[in-house]
């Protein structure tokens, strides 16, 4: 009885293998084939006999996604219609008009046209409100940001006609913009804090990140940089090789940067430093937080393990699984975990996912509830996860990278009133309106003058509160008072963004940022015990 059944199964597998790219596992060929046949059979029954009409492809996509959830939190299936959008995150350019916009009360408003981009060349200005795109209304129709991207982006050389309203003009304008290639920078900003200290913020590791970083670092070196603050806060990762090449700029000699361990040895790799880097000596501080993940953690972990940098901030996210993108025949993509990352000392970056996807996604909420974002002593590591850096310092694995200097998240200025203002985009809208009303005065100031002398006064905060009340956010004197320091900084930074560009925005924010101030203290103070220990060794 058993032999004919096995023979039939093998015959069926042979027919399947000849007809499509399905390949059973070498380890469990029978189980793999049976699972494949079972799924195919059930889907056929549902499609043919179920009481209502069904979309078999959508059901299949859903089943695949749920199956992958049983493996780990980062193996994912991306349907064909979402694949392009998912991949755009790692692209360093795109075709479009080059404009930063926001949605204020369901109206698309230009925050800033990108420098020398098509929108700027066509005359778009901060504060312009877009009413229609190619004759199709976009104001008051509840578009999402992604839908608006879809209307503004398109093949280079094609044109798009925008109907806009502008402050001071009685009638709408019609503006034709010819799309072109737009840089999608991943190095958000690079500037000199003082005559020796540079600051570089990297938002993700995209295809052009390393080249952008090299260019920014070289420019700062020419301005006199001898010490550096590298900001990886909120960086979700991206291409690993861009992160390891960046690490190579800081780590001298031939030293391990990262290694991966997968099933068998097919996906086992080791990456070493090998080039003469741009900044292998000099004080280096890296800012990290709970939003720093994957490739950002690989970079931070390598620098910490080799005692090359002081890490400042909070424990990183804890994503240490390697995904391989696999293009499928219908244009969809499978991103399958094929290995784990390990830092040079042997630490696994990946946090536990034994509780399932639901619990995994609550990890940051649990950190908040347990006080980990506010008190370093609330974070506990098992002794079994203890490792040593190159010079003998104790570090821990098993769930992100713990910084050398912990900086608690500052929530003292947050209030329910502030949250309501932000949720309705009223802070950004007020800043943009202020810029429009004071454009001539602001343009008469150099940014350095603006940074040192410009203040958001009580009068502006009262105007913000009055405008918020008109838009359904009731006045809250106590909430406004509590959030006053935060609102002053944010409004000033947003006004600077419209008047002077993205770099000005970050420079203003960093003036009052607790983590940035701690980083500057660590990198600038020669007697700082952590930095001194690293430099001596």
């Amino acid at each position: 009885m058993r032999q004919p059944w096995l023979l039939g199964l093998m015959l069926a597998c042979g027919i399947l293998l000849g007809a499509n790219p399905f390949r059973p596992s070498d380890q469990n060929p029978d189980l793999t084939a049976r699972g494949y046949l079972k799924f195919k059979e059930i889907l056929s029954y549902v499609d043919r006999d179920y009481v209502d009409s069904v979309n078999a492809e959508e059901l299949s996509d859903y089943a695949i996604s749920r199956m992958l959830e049983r493996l780990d939190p980062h193996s994912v299936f991306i349907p064909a219609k979402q694949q392009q959008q998912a991949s755009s995150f790692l692209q360093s350019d795109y075709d479009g008009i080059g404009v930063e916009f926001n949605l204020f009360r369901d109206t698309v408003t230009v925050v800033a046209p990108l420098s020398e981009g098509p929108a700027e060349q066509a005359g778009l200005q901060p504060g312009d409100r877009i009413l229609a795109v190619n004759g199709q209304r976009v104001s008051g129709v509840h578009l999402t940001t992604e839908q608006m991207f879809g209307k503004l982006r398109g093949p280079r050389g094609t044109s798009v006609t925008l109907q806009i309203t502008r402050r001071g003009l009685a009638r709408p304008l019609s503006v034709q913009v010819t799309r072109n290639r737009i840089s999608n920078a991943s190095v958000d900003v690079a500037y000199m804090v003082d005559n020796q200290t540079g600051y570089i913020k990297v938002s993700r590791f995209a295809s052009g990140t390393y080249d952008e970083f090299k260019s920014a670092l070289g420019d700062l070196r020419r301005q006199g940089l001898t010490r550096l603050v590298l900001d990886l806060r909120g960086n979700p990762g991206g291409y690993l090789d861009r992160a390891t090449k960046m690490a190579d700029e800081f780590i001298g000699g031939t030293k391990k940067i990262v290694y991966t361990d997968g099933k068998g040895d097919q996906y086992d790799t080791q990456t070493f430093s090998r080039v003469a880097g741009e900044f292998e000596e000099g004080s280096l501080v890296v800012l990290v937080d709970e939003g720093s993940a994957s490739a950002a953690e690989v970079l931070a972990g390598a620098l910490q393990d080799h005692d090359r940098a002081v890490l400042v901030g909070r424990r990183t996210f804890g994503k240490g699984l390697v995904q391989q993108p696999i293009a499928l025949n219908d244009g969809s993509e499978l991103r399958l975990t094929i290995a784990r990352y390990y830092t040079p000392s042997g630490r696994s970056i990946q946090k536990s996912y034994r509780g399932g996807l639901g619990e995994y996604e609550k990890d940051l909420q649990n950190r908040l509830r347990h006080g980990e974002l506010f008190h370093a002593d609330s974070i506990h590591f098992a002794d079994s996860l203890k490792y040593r850096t190159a010079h003998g310092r104790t570090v821990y694995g098993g769930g992100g990278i713990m910084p050398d200097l912990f900086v608690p998240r500052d929530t003292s200025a947050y209030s329910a009133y502030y949250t309501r203002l932000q949720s309705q985009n009223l802070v950004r809208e007020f800043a943009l309106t202020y810029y429009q009303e004071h454009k001539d005065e602001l343009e008469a100031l150099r940014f350095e003058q603006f940074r040192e002398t410009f203040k958001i006064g009580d009068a502006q905060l009262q105007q913000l509160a009055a405008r918020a009340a008109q838009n359904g956010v009731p006045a809250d004197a106590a909430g406004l008072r509590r959030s006053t320091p935060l609102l002053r900084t944010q409004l000033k930074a947003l006004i600077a963004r419209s008047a002077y560009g993205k770099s000005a925005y970050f420079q203003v924010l960093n003036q009052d940022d607790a983590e940035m101030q701690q980083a500057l203290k660590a990198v600038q103070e020669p007697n700082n015990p952590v930095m001194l220990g690293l430099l001596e060794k």
Side-chain angles (χ1 to χ4, degrees):
M1 292 292 291
R2 179 178 173 82
Q3 286 180 342
W5 183 85
L6 286 174
L7 184 62
L9 178 62
M10 291 170 64
L11 179 61
C13 290
I15 293 171
L16 288 169
L17 291 172
N20 58 58
F22 169 75
R23 295 288 185 273
S25 162
D26 290 337
Q27 294 179 333
N28 299 297
D30 292 348
L31 290 176
T32 308
R34 285 204 298 271
Y36 175 87
L37 289 169
K38 184 187 299 182
F39 180 78
K40 180 182 177 184
E41 186 177 14
I42 290 175
L43 186 63
S44 297
Y45 276 119
V46 170
D47 185 44
R48 188 182 65 219
D49 299 328
Y50 184 66
V51 64
D52 296 321
S53 296
V54 298
N55 185 321
E57 185 175 20
E58 286 186 359
L59 285 175
S60 205
D61 289 354
Y62 175 77
I64 292 167
S65 296
R66 292 300 299 271
M67 173 183 69
L68 294 175
E69 287 178 11
R70 292 290 299 271
L71 302 179
D72 67 79
H74 299 294
S75 288
V76 294
F77 169 73
I78 303 172
K81 60 184 178 182
Q82 299 175 16
Q83 200 279 329
Q84 185 175 2
Q85 181 181 341
S87 298
S88 65
F89 172 76
L90 296 177
Q91 295 171 358
S92 289
D93 51 25
Y94 62 91
D95 290 349
I97 68 170
V99 66
E100 183 182 334
F101 65 87
N102 215 321
L103 290 168
F104 297 138
R105 292 197 299 280
D106 205 25
T107 298
V108 181
T109 305
V110 176
V111 174
L114 302 186
S115 179
E116 300 182 2
E120 184 183 67
Q121 293 171 359
L124 261 66
Q125 300 177 8
D128 285 348
R129 298 174 184 266
I130 303 176
L131 302 180
V133 178
N134 287 334
Q136 184 177 7
R137 187 171 181 81
V138 296
S139 176
V141 293
H142 306 291
L143 287 179
T144 65
T145 300
E146 289 72 23
Q147 288 172 324
M148 194 62 192
F149 277 140
K151 294 181 180 299
L152 297 180
R153 293 182 180 183
R156 74 187 80 176
T158 59
S159 295
V160 58
T161 301
L162 308 178
Q163 185 185 49
I164 65 170
T165 59
R166 179 173 294 165
R167 185 181 184 85
L169 297 182
R171 296 182 178 179
L173 296 173
S174 182
V175 179
Q176 187 175 53
V177 186
T178 301
R179 298 181 178 101
N180 206 341
R181 204 66 175 160
I182 306 299
S183 174
N184 188 21
S186 51
V187 173
D188 282 344
V189 62
Y191 66 90
M192 293 295 291
V193 180
D194 55 38
N195 58 3
Q196 295 182 65
T197 309
Y199 170 86
I200 299 177
K201 180 170 180 60
V202 182
S203 61
R204 68 193 191 286
F205 290 97
S207 56
T209 300
Y210 175 70
D211 294 333
E212 293 175 37
F213 171 77
K214 278 281 285 183
S215 175
L217 182 61
D219 183 54
L220 296 184
R221 294 277 282 177
R222 287 186 288 274
Q223 296 180 53
L225 177 143
T226 60
R227 50 201 187 197
L228 175 65
V229 175
L230 176 64
D231 193 346
L232 299 180
R233 291 175 296 179
N235 184 319
Y239 289 119
L240 176 65
D241 65 326
R242 274 58 168 189
T244 57
K245 288 171 73 175
M246 192 181 296
D248 203 351
E249 293 296 321
F250 301 118
I251 298 171
T254 304
K255 297 174 183 174
K256 188 178 293 183
I257 294 175
V258 65
Y259 69 93
T260 64
D261 185 22
K263 184 184 291 184
D265 57 6
Q266 181 181 1
Y267 298 111
D268 295 352
T269 64
Q270 297 188 73
T271 304
F272 292 85
S273 59
R274 56 186 179 82
V275 302
E278 183 83 14
F279 195 66
E280 292 182 354
E281 296 181 359
S283 298
L284 175 63
V285 166
V286 179
L287 283 167
V288 294
D289 65 7
E290 56 279 359
S292 308
S294 193
E297 296 176 282
V298 168
L299 172 57
L303 295 174
Q304 188 180 52
D305 279 5
H306 289 298
D307 295 295
R308 175 63 189 92
V310 172
L311 271 55
V312 173
R314 293 179 296 279
R315 181 163 67 99
T316 61
F317 181 84
K319 180 187 180 298
L321 299 178
V322 186
Q323 281 72 52
Q324 175 173 287
I326 302 169
L328 304 179
N329 289 333
D330 66 346
S332 58
E333 184 176 274
L334 170 64
R335 295 185 181 177
L336 185 66
T337 297
I338 47 91
R340 290 181 172 84
Y341 293 123
Y342 293 88
T343 71
S345 67
R347 289 186 285 169
S348 170
I349 298 169
Q350 181 62 46
K351 60 189 175 186
S352 173
Y353 48 89
R354 292 175 184 169
L357 182 62
E359 278 303 305
Y360 188 83
E361 291 178 339
K362 293 178 183 176
D363 176 63
L364 297 186
Q365 297 175 32
N366 291 335
R367 293 191 200 184
L368 180 65
R369 189 170 65 252
H370 297 152
E372 287 191 32
L373 303 184
F374 309 105
H375 309 286
D377 56 8
S378 296
I379 305 170
H380 303 290
F381 294 98
D383 286 341
S384 60
L385 300 175
K386 185 182 294 185
Y387 294 83
R388 298 288 181 184
T389 68
H391 295 302
R393 292 190 302 135
T394 299
V395 289
Y396 291 90
I401 303 295
M402 185 67 187
D404 304 300
L405 296 176
F406 178 84
V407 180
R409 181 190 281 183
D410 183 8
T411 60
S412 60
Y414 287 84
S415 65
Y417 182 67
Y418 171 82
T419 301
R420 287 195 290 271
L421 292 178
Q422 290 291 355
S423 67
Q424 296 195 29
N425 242 341
L426 292 168
V427 178
R428 288 180 177 273
E429 185 180 18
F430 182 85
L432 190 54
T433 302
Y434 184 93
Y435 163 75
Q436 291 178 290
E437 293 173 346
H438 300 83
K439 184 177 179 181
D440 293 339
E441 305 164 39
L442 293 166
E443 289 182 349
L445 290 174
R446 291 182 295 107
F447 170 64
E448 290 74 19
Q449 294 174 303
F450 172 88
R451 184 178 57 194
E452 298 304 322
T453 63
F454 182 84
K455 306 291 183 186
I456 294 292
D458 292 340
Q460 284 78 44
L461 293 177
Q462 291 302 322
Q463 290 170 13
L464 171 62
R467 191 164 301 176
Q470 293 172 2
N471 287 279
V473 180
D476 180 351
L480 179 62
R481 190 162 50 250
R482 178 176 179 178
S483 299
T484 287
L486 186 58
L487 287 169
R488 289 191 202 278
T489 298
Q490 288 197 344
L491 287 169
K492 181 175 178 178
L494 290 166
I495 292 168
R497 172 69 183 95
S498 295
Y500 306 103
K502 185 185 286 188
S503 177
Y505 170 80
F506 282 103
Q507 290 187 53
V508 171
L509 282 184
N510 283 339
Q511 278 186 308
D512 296 319
D513 183 84
E515 292 158 58
M516 180 63 178
Q517 297 312 309
Q518 184 68 29
L520 289 176
K521 183 178 180 182
V523 80
Q524 293 171 344
E525 188 178 297
N527 293 322
N528 179 281
V530 179
M531 183 61 75
L532 186 64
L534 295 187
L535 294 178
E536 284 178 348
K537 290 168 181 175

